[in-house]
Amino acid sequence: MSDRMRRLVMLVDEMEESIVRARQAAETAAEHSYSMEIDDDLGTVVVDSSGRLVSIELDQENLRYTNAGALGPRLLEAVLAAEQGAERASRQILDSAGRTTRPS
């Protein structure tokens, strides 16, 4: 096998390994969920790795000390923060899978 052919085979092998790492990273990212506390200890929101809302858990004890006008903005802030956290975390997982150490 020629030197050029050997280099091409090595390049293909490296690309296949990169694809496997990217798939594994995507699966890992998809398995995660992200939670964010609602200000004033009013509860927790949970989103999946794509930022879709999974659940809202309200703290019944602290909920009685607020009203809809105050709860709405706090809830929205928590959902937005959880979505941003999910996006950052998923991007980090995928970016780390894309980093390779190439032999010189």
Side-chain angles (χ1 to χ4, degrees), residues 1-13:
M1 185 183 301
S2 71
D3 190 44
R4 180 180 172 147
M5 183 63 93
R6 218 178 332 266
R7 285 195 309 260
L8 285 173
V9 168
M10 287 175 53
L11 180 60
V12 169
D13 288 345

Side-chain angles (χ1 to χ4, degrees), residues 32-35 45-49 51-55 79 82-83 86:
H32 285 80
S33 62
Y34 305 89
S35 61
V45 297
V46 178
V47 299
D48 66 13
S49 61
R52 283 179 284 200
L53 185 62
V54 173
S55 68
V79 170
E83 288 173 346

